[in-house]
Amino acid sequence: MNDRAETAIVFEDVHKWYGKVHVLRGLSLTVARGERLVICGPSGSGKSTMIRCINRLERHEKGRILVENTELSDEPRALAAIRREVGMVFQSFNLFPHLSVLDNCTLAPIRVRGLARADAEARAMEYLKRVRIPEQARKYPPQLSGGQQQRVAIARALCMQPKIMLFDEPTSALDPEMVREVLDVMIELAETGMTMLCVTHEMGFARRVADRVLFMDQGEIVESGPPQDIFDRPRAARLRVFLDQILHHG
Amino acid sequence: MNARRLVSPLVTLALVLILADVAWHFFSWAIWHAVWTLPENASHAPNTDLCRAALGHGACWPVIKEKFRFILFGFYPYDEQWRPALVILCFVVLFGLSLAPRWWRPSLLLVWVVAFALIGVLMWGGVLGLAFVAEDQWGGLPITLILATLGLAAAFPLAILVALARRAEGLPVIRLLAVAYVELIRGVPLISLLFMSSVMLPLFLPPAWDIDKLIRAQLAFVLFAGAYLAEVVRAGLAALPRGQYEAAAALGLSYAQSTRLIILPQALRQVIPMLVNTFIGFFKDTSLVLIIGIFDLMTTGRTATLEPAWQGFGNEVYLLLAAIYFAFCFIMARISRTLERRLAAPHRNIEEPA
Ligand SMILES: Nc1ncnc2c1ncn2[C@@H]1O[C@H](COP(=O)(O)OP(=O)(O)O)[C@@H](O)[C@H]1O
Ligand SMILES: [Mg+2]
């Protein structure tokens, strides 16, 4: 597990404060290549902050984070290299509304990876097929439904052919009937062996794809283990309360 | 409801009557009782007695015929006035081209640069066998068009840089400079900036830097317009959701790439109406250069009726000035409308999922 070649992400005693609020309290974690990690926990427990530290949308203030064996710092080259290899899907999609679906998908491969437009478009169409909306390629994001937009967002991230994919509550902004179509795409992606970190409360999804589930509360990892242990044999009292809540209140 | 049914036609009727009355008076002054031609006196100048007799109830249109070259070109040497005339044509063609979406491509920028070089050659001369004409002899409409167009063309990029600087996290000095610039310039009337540029600036600069009054006014104008436009651009930037910056960064785009490809295109299209509003305001504000003795269109218009024979016929001249200003502002408004329509974000149209 600690073999460098097999390690995708390492957190070593990572801390973060927002002003005086201590939001990450000494996280330590190793994610193996190809591992599928689901992170859950109550709102405000620091899940987004943790996952956003991985591509430095947030900066940690203490400790070390290694991504693909490169330490995260303010060094621009290292950061650029890491962001090329880490794709992210947001709760609110964050597609570029002024660009067509196709252009959303080809922008970064052309500008960041230096692909020729024709190659980038071929690749984009391939991933749009994988997320099952190739026919929407010429439309603009505001013309699509939420579920379609989120699938475009997944395709956009995949077009960079990242080694790691981060998902921050990808289905919580969706109407219930659209959750399925997005989860199906994510399950298929998990089957390709992609390293995935996914913040979600979709227990069915976690049981099906997760190698490991982390339960976070108040900036700490309270418990971690295979999904059946976490969901069926929770040890920590906080986890039991949390599971009770999501089981009984959606 | 009943009251409204009764009042509404009455108001309409009253408005129609008032408008008809105004229109009738204008028509009577501008056409019915207007003087169209004047006899010449002994020295072959028009005899304005006829106009003077009609003063107050009939327009004196010969003043326009007599003065329009001075109004348009000021003290530019009479025999060389075809050059500023060509310059005006240049501007009209430029604006016309920019109005048509099918010309919107990067080479249009090149056209602008070439056009401005051409305008410089035509106005100054001194090359290609054209006689040199110094800036203090320029006047009229070309001055107004140059001040406004060149001013806004320089102020707009400046405004974008300042607006971006104001939001630069982690660069407190740059940020402070941008805030200081905007607040200082906004807190001062344009007139005092123009005075400073024409009177005070030469005191501070070494004599070798003796740049012309017109160029100094142009600089003051760029600084002033830049500060206002920067605030408009900033409003556009502030309206953009954080997620757009984050998605661009997460994809690995650099700051420059994300600004150019993601942030500015969205931020600017949000504020096109406000931008054009500011453009139009500044186009008309160029008339303030009259207070530092630059002969722009407004100044030549005022000066035209100072000659004793033509005193009192300012209304006719001001109508002409208004028509010219209106024509150019109208073009800008049209460009704005076209831009807004062309760049409008595609709207959500709900449809059956495929
Ligand atoms: N930009 C911010 N400024 C200040 N506090 C923040 C900011 N973002 C998040 N927080 C706080 O940090 C804590 C963790 O937030 P977050 O990581 O978003 O939690 P989660 O994703 O688990 O709901 C919360 O208490 C939240 O209020
Ligand atoms: Mg969150």
Side-chain angles (χ1 to χ4, degrees), chain A residues 90-228:
Chain A
F90 301 85
Q91 179 176 351
S92 48
F93 327 137
N94 294 348
L95 292 174
F96 305 130
H98 63 303
L99 299 179
S100 69
V101 163
L102 189 64
D103 289 340
N104 264 277
C105 292
T106 57
L107 181 75
I110 291 173
R111 304 282 173 173
V112 181
R113 289 254 191 240
L115 249 64
R117 176 168 297 278
D119 297 339
E121 286 185 357
R123 183 188 284 185
M125 288 313 296
E126 185 188 313
Y127 283 110
L128 287 172
K129 275 190 200 112
R130 289 251 296 260
V131 302
R132 292 189 279 278
I133 36 174
E135 71 285 355
Q136 312 282 6
R138 303 277 162 197
K139 290 207 180 145
Y140 285 81
Q143 298 171 312
L144 304 181
S145 74
Q148 290 174 322
Q149 289 191 54
Q150 193 61 299
R151 284 185 283 146
V152 171
I154 294 173
R156 175 177 72 176
L158 290 176
C159 280
M160 282 295 281
Q161 301 194 324
K163 297 204 173 91
I164 299 168
M165 283 285 287
L166 310 175
F167 295 82
D168 190 359
E169 306 210 29
T171 56
S172 14
L174 296 178
D175 294 335
E177 72 272 17
M178 295 172 183
V179 170
R180 190 75 251 158
E181 65 191 54
V182 172
L183 287 181
D184 284 345
V185 166
M186 290 171 62
I187 290 168
E188 270 175 41
L189 181 63
E191 283 161 1
T192 66
M194 169 78 70
T195 310
M196 286 170 67
L197 278 77
C198 187
V199 177
T200 182
H201 294 162
E202 295 290 338
M203 302 240 289
F205 171 79
R207 280 182 194 277
R208 175 145 178 205
V209 309
D211 299 308
R212 190 156 46 127
V213 176
L214 294 189
F215 171 65
M216 283 184 69
D217 190 22
Q218 300 184 352
E220 291 170 333
I221 298 173
V222 176
E223 198 165 327
S224 84
Q228 49 281 25

Side-chain angles (χ1 to χ4, degrees), chain B residues 118-281:
Chain B
L118 184 66
I119 286 165
V121 168
L122 281 170
M123 291 303 286
W124 268 302
V127 288
L128 304 174
L130 296 173
F132 177 72
V133 180
E135 302 92 57
D136 52 10
Q137 290 175 280
W138 300 6
L141 185 55
I143 292 257
T144 297
L145 290 175
I146 290 171
L147 275 176
T149 316
L150 203 57
L152 290 171
F156 189 47
L158 172 70
I160 289 178
L161 288 180
V162 170
L164 289 173
R166 255 191 111 155
R167 296 173 62 85
E169 284 164 30
L171 297 171
V173 178
I174 304 255
R175 223 171 146 156
L176 194 72
L177 281 175
V179 174
Y181 160 69
V182 170
E183 297 304 337
L184 270 178
I185 300 282
R186 273 206 309 184
V188 172
L190 178 53
I191 292 192
S192 61
L193 262 186
L194 286 170
F195 265 127
M196 268 160 49
S197 77
S198 86
V199 184
M200 277 169 64
L201 203 61
L203 301 180
F204 301 141
L205 292 179
W209 285 35
D210 181 23
I211 43 178
D212 182 79
K213 181 162 71 173
L214 183 62
I215 298 176
R216 279 182 270 131
Q218 179 82 78
L219 276 177
F221 194 67
V222 168
L223 285 180
F224 198 69
Y228 277 85
L229 289 172
E231 283 299 280
V232 175
V233 175
R234 193 168 69 100
L237 290 173
L240 209 61
R242 244 199 111 62
Q244 292 292 306
Y245 293 85
E246 292 179 349
L251 282 168
L253 295 174
S254 67
Y255 174 80
Q257 285 174 327
S258 99
T259 303
R260 189 163 55 87
L261 301 166
I262 307 298
I263 306 306
L264 283 179
Q266 294 186 66
L268 292 182
R269 81 183 53 182
Q270 291 251 330
V271 292
I272 290 171
M274 279 196 283
L275 282 175
V276 175
N277 196 32
T278 316
F279 280 13
I280 289 177

Side-chain angles (χ1 to χ4, degrees), chain A residues 18 23 42-49:
Chain A
Y18 281 119
V23 289
S43 175
S45 58
K47 307 180 297 292
S48 298
T49 308

Side-chain angles (χ1 to χ4, degrees), chain B:
Chain B
M1 201 60 201
N2 269 334
R4 190 184 262 183
R5 259 193 216 147
L6 206 67
V7 166
S8 169
L10 282 180
V11 170
T12 312
L13 187 68
L15 278 176
V16 166
L17 285 178
I18 291 170
L19 279 177
D21 190 50
V22 169
W24 168 249
H25 276 94
F26 181 78
F27 175 80
S28 146
W29 175 80
I31 303 200
W32 199 246
H33 291 111
V35 177
W36 297 91
T37 50
L38 289 174
E40 285 186 357
N41 61 19
S43 53
H44 293 293
N47 182 340
T48 55
D49 290 348
L50 218 58
C51 276
R52 216 154 282 291
L55 196 61
H57 62 274
C60 174
W61 295 122
V63 68
I64 303 291
K65 177 170 176 281
E66 179 73 12
K67 292 294 185 187
F68 86 93
R69 281 186 66 160
F70 178 76
I71 295 171
L72 285 184
F73 307 123
F75 294 111
Y76 206 89
Y78 196 82
D79 290 334
E80 301 285 337
Q81 284 181 359
W82 59 272
R83 285 156 54 179
L86 269 182
V87 165
I88 294 172
L89 189 70
C90 255
F91 274 112
V92 171
V93 170
L94 257 188
F95 292 153
L97 277 185
S98 312
L99 191 62
R102 69 196 161 98
W103 292 104
W104 294 347
R105 55 188 80 161
S107 48
L108 185 60
L109 209 68
L110 196 71
V111 173
W112 275 78
V113 172
V114 171
F116 264 101
L118 184 66
I119 286 165
V121 168
L122 281 170
M123 291 303 286
W124 268 302
V127 288
L128 304 174
L130 296 173
F132 177 72
V133 180
E135 302 92 57
D136 52 10
Q137 290 175 280
W138 300 6
L141 185 55
I143 292 257
T144 297
L145 290 175
I146 290 171
L147 275 176
T149 316
L150 203 57
L152 290 171
F156 189 47
L158 172 70
I160 289 178
L161 288 180
V162 170
L164 289 173
R166 255 191 111 155
R167 296 173 62 85
E169 284 164 30
L171 297 171
V173 178
I174 304 255
R175 223 171 146 156
L176 194 72
L177 281 175
V179 174
Y181 160 69
V182 170
E183 297 304 337
L184 270 178
I185 300 282
R186 273 206 309 184
V188 172
L190 178 53
I191 292 192
S192 61
L193 262 186
L194 286 170
F195 265 127
M196 268 160 49
S197 77
S198 86
V199 184
M200 277 169 64
L201 203 61
L203 301 180
F204 301 141
L205 292 179
W209 285 35
D210 181 23
I211 43 178
D212 182 79
K213 181 162 71 173
L214 183 62
I215 298 176
R216 279 182 270 131
Q218 179 82 78
L219 276 177
F221 194 67
V222 168
L223 285 180
F224 198 69
Y228 277 85
L229 289 172
E231 283 299 280
V232 175
V233 175
R234 193 168 69 100
L237 290 173
L240 209 61
R242 244 199 111 62
Q244 292 292 306
Y245 293 85
E246 292 179 349
L251 282 168
L253 295 174
S254 67
Y255 174 80
Q257 285 174 327
S258 99
T259 303
R260 189 163 55 87
L261 301 166
I262 307 298
I263 306 306
L264 283 179
Q266 294 186 66
L268 292 182
R269 81 183 53 182
Q270 291 251 330
V271 292
I272 290 171
M274 279 196 283
L275 282 175
V276 175
N277 196 32
T278 316
F279 280 13
I280 289 177
F282 280 106
F283 181 74
K284 292 177 296 179
D285 279 354
T286 53
S287 55
L288 288 174
V289 295
L290 90 119
I291 59 135
I292 56 168
I294 291 175
F295 273 74
D296 78 315
L297 183 61
M298 196 70 197
T299 322
T300 54
R302 283 167 52 100
T303 315
T305 51
L306 289 183
E307 189 186 327
W310 296 105
Q311 265 174 24
F313 304 113
N315 287 344
E316 291 80 349
V317 172
Y318 285 126
L319 268 177
L320 175 70
L321 295 187
I324 295 174
Y325 276 107
F326 178 80
F328 282 97
C329 291
F330 186 71
I331 293 179
M332 283 194 269
R334 284 305 298 266
I335 293 181
S336 158
R337 285 257 301 279
T338 322
L339 268 172
E340 262 178 83
R341 236 182 340 209
R342 289 272 301 200
L343 298 181
H347 285 296
R348 183 172 177 79
N349 54 5
I350 313 268
E351 56 196 301
E352 295 306 307

Side-chain angles (χ1 to χ4, degrees), chain A residues 39-57:
Chain A
I39 301 145
C40 61
S43 175
S45 58
K47 307 180 297 292
S48 298
T49 308
M50 178 203 141
I51 197 168
R52 289 155 61 88
C53 279
I54 296 171
N55 59 358
R56 214 168 175 74
L57 291 183

